[in-house]
């Protein structure tokens, strides 16, 4: 088990490793050798770093953790959405989802392999429709536990990931420092080398943190989980809206848009009888025009134990055409992974419950 005090090497930046080596009076070029072992050669331990002196390998192993995620379950198969359940060093479970080529997801037209990463164990925000919040919140992931999700999935599939969305379990902006740190490593030329435009952070609407993110010198993308175009609808399904209402949220989006030369995405899950009225479509389009956002409509994925369901296909298409009628760029996701419970948090919840049952 990892000791809490030891920093994992996968959460350290190249500059930090250089500074650390300086304190040991080691040559600075060793830092580049170390990150090459981590992110190019994908070493599984310090011991494998064969061109480092043995004494340095031993010292690194003393000073840093070298966590590896333990794969508990994989659902799905090649060419479909695959879902990975991982166990962390302290026994907690998290999930990542790998989504194959999809024409209308995030970023460029030809998104290839997109990974959806978790940022927390559980979630404190308790959106009524979401499986991730059902069991409450346990803890933040550190940057290494986020980066290791990519390493583990690439190792398991033998394929490179070219797009990252922070849309798994947890609220990324409630864990902003670790998320920003992980983005730097994912994006770095010495790290996983994924372009910032292929990295999207999603938030349920933490207005002050949206502004903080706007001030970070990062070119990653931002998605807002809107799911309602009025306070009335958002209050009903997203408790966070009582803290930061739509007016506050949209002005944070304005600020973000003014600081970055890029578009925001609005995520909008379509839930039958809850947020799918035509009036919501008109208002949603108005909000999107105001902040220059694009809209991704997502038919709701059923969650065991929750009463919500998606509207009919016709109703989904009608909603889409109203939004587009206002001149807003919008897509309707023909989502994959419905069959393997790909909505965030579901696999973990199932496994956790099964483990708890086995113990009692
Ligand atoms: N906490 C962040 C990121 C994780 S949730 C956020 O809320 O944005 C990632 C996305 O999955 C969010 O847009 C969320 O609303 C959506 N989601 C949650 N449960 C879902 C479900 N059952 N079906 C479809 N999308 C869902
Ligand atoms: Fe948390 Fe996002 Fe799920 Fe809301 S939708 S409970 S913020 S993970």
């Amino acid at each position: 088990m990892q000791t809490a005090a030891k920093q994992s090497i996968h959460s350290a930046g190249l500059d930090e490793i250089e500074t650390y080596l300086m304190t040991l009076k080691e040559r600075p070029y060793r830092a580049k050798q170390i990150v090459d072992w981590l992110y190019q050669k994908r070493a599984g331990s310090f011991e494998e770093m064969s061109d480092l002196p043995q004494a340095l390998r031993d010292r690194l192993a003393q000073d840093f953790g070298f966590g590896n995620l333990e794969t508990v379950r994989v659902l799905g198969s090649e060419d479909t959405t695959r879902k990975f359940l991982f166990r962390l060093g302290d026994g907690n479970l998290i999930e990542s989802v790998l989504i194959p080529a999809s024409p209308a997801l995030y970023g460029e037209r030809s998104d290839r392999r997109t990974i959806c990463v978790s940022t927390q164990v559980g979630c404190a925000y308790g959106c009524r429709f979401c499986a991730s919040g059902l069991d409450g919140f346990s803890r933040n992931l550190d940057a290494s536990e986020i980066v290791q999700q990519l390493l583990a999935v690439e190792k398991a599939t033998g394929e490179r990931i070219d797009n990252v969305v922070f849309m798994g379990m947890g609220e990324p902006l409630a864990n902003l420092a670790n998320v920003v740190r992980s983005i730097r490593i994912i994006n770095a030329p010495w790290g996983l080398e994924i372009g910032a435009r292929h990295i999207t952070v999603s938030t349920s609407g933490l207005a002050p943190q949206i502004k903080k993110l706007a001030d970070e010198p990062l070119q990653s993308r931002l998605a807002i989980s809107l799911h309602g175009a009025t306070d009335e609808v958002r209050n009903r399904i997203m408790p966070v809206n009582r803290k930061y209402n739509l007016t506050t949220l949209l002005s944070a989006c304005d600020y973000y848009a003014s600081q970055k030369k890029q578009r925001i995405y609005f995520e909008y899950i379509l839930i039958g009888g809850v947020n799918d009225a035509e009036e919501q479509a008109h208002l949603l389009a108005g909000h999107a025009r105001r902040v220059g956002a694009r809209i991704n409509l997502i038919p709701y994925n059923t969650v065991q134990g929750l009463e919500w369901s998606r509207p009919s296909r016709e109703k989904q298409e009608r909603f889409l055409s109203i939004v587009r009628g206002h001149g807003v760029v919008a897509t309707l996701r023909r989502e994959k992974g419905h069959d393997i419970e790909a909505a965030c948090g579901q696999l973990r919840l199932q496994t956790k419950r099964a483990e708890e049952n086995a113990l009692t």
Side-chain angles (χ1 to χ4, degrees):
M1 212 181 268
Q2 274 174 309
T3 45
K6 241 191 212 179
Q7 185 192 359
S8 165
I9 193 71
H10 290 112
S11 67
L14 178 61
D15 50 343
E16 290 168 313
I17 299 176
E18 277 167 357
T19 310
Y20 161 80
L21 290 173
M22 258 153 61
T23 64
L24 298 184
K25 306 218 175 349
E26 285 283 347
R27 303 243 178 80
Y29 72 84
R30 297 278 185 214
K32 185 65 177 40
Q33 282 180 304
I34 293 170
V35 294
D36 273 355
W37 277 109
L38 296 174
Y39 301 109
Q40 309 306 317
K41 302 185 192 126
R42 305 290 166 95
S45 68
F46 291 115
E47 204 41 47
E48 282 175 38
M49 303 183 177
S50 53
D51 54 5
L52 301 183
Q54 185 63 48
L56 178 57
R57 282 184 253 168
D58 293 344
R59 183 66 201 255
L60 284 163
Q62 247 175 51
D63 292 343
F64 290 96
F66 202 115
N68 284 309
L69 299 179
E70 179 202 333
T71 306
V72 180
R73 279 169 80 189
V74 183
L75 293 189
S77 57
E78 231 172 297
D79 301 324
T80 65
T81 298
R82 262 169 293 176
K83 190 153 188 165
F84 297 81
L85 185 73
F86 296 119
R87 195 182 303 280
L88 304 172
D90 65 358
N92 273 307
L93 296 169
I94 55 162
E95 326 176 346
S96 315
V97 180
L98 183 68
I99 307 154
S102 164
L105 211 58
Y106 297 86
E108 308 302 311
R109 227 172 301 137
S110 59
D111 282 343
R112 303 282 309 281
R113 282 167 300 274
T114 297
I115 187 176
C116 175
V117 294
S118 294
T119 55
Q120 299 184 312
V121 180
C123 183
Y125 287 82
C127 301
R128 305 272 181 257
F129 47 81
C130 177
S132 292
L134 283 179
D135 247 14
F137 170 74
S138 301
R139 70 167 173 89
N140 283 333
L141 299 191
D142 71 16
S144 71
E145 292 166 327
I146 298 172
V147 171
Q148 282 162 11
Q149 292 173 58
L150 279 87
L151 296 175
V153 168
E154 286 193 347
K155 189 172 174 202
T157 60
E159 293 169 354
R160 289 302 289 248
I161 288 162
D162 28 35
N163 215 41
V164 184
V165 296
F166 285 76
M167 295 191 181
M169 206 190 333
E171 169 49 55
L173 294 198
N175 186 14
L176 187 61
N178 289 320
V179 165
V180 167
R181 183 175 266 275
S182 72
I183 291 175
R184 295 225 161 89
I185 297 169
I186 291 167
N187 178 231
W190 51 261
L192 289 172
E193 258 191 303
I194 296 176
R197 282 177 171 61
H198 297 275
I199 303 173
T200 303
V201 175
S202 177
T203 178
S204 58
L206 272 60
Q209 279 79 2
I210 291 171
K211 290 188 178 166
K212 270 199 190 156
L213 187 62
D215 291 333
E216 288 283 345
L218 287 176
Q219 288 308 316
S220 49
R221 310 251 164 184
L222 179 67
I224 309 287
S225 292
L226 212 59
H227 311 331
T230 53
D231 282 327
E232 194 200 348
V233 171
R234 266 178 70 86
N235 282 342
R236 210 179 134 194
I237 53 178
M238 302 181 75
V240 67
N241 196 69
R242 294 178 193 273
K243 197 157 180 198
Y244 308 114
N245 65 18
L246 257 182
T247 309
T248 310
L249 174 55
L250 291 172
S251 77
C253 292
D254 280 338
Y255 180 73
Y256 189 92
S258 72
Q259 295 298 101
K260 310 263 181 195
K261 302 267 168 294
Q262 52 161 263
R263 287 186 188 280
I264 294 176
Y265 296 97
F266 283 164
E267 302 282 299
Y268 199 99
I269 316 177
L270 288 166
I271 312 177
V274 174
N275 64 0
D276 60 344
E278 295 194 358
E279 192 207 0
Q280 290 287 312
H282 290 289
L283 293 170
L284 173 63
H287 299 325
R289 285 182 68 100
R290 166 180 159 180
V291 302
R294 295 186 174 180
I295 298 175
N296 288 326
L297 299 174
I298 308 142
Y300 182 68
N301 243 326
T302 330
V303 175
Q304 217 184 347
L306 296 180
E307 79 258 42
W308 320 98
S309 61
R310 56 177 61 180
S312 67
R313 190 78 209 170
E314 296 70 51
K315 200 137 193 205
Q316 296 172 24
E317 298 286 353
R318 172 91 189 112
F319 200 96
L320 175 68
S321 71
I322 293 175
V323 170
R324 284 186 171 161
H326 287 273
V328 175
V329 177
T331 61
L332 173 61
R333 196 181 298 169
R334 279 147 196 87
E335 115 297 348
K336 301 180 180 178
H338 201 50
D339 50 334
I340 58 160
E341 318 216 31
C344 59
Q346 293 190 59
L347 182 60
R348 165 183 171 263
L349 202 63
Q350 229 183 45
T351 308
K352 206 170 151 217
R353 294 263 155 89
E355 284 181 356
E356 282 162 5
N357 291 343
L359 289 174
T360 52

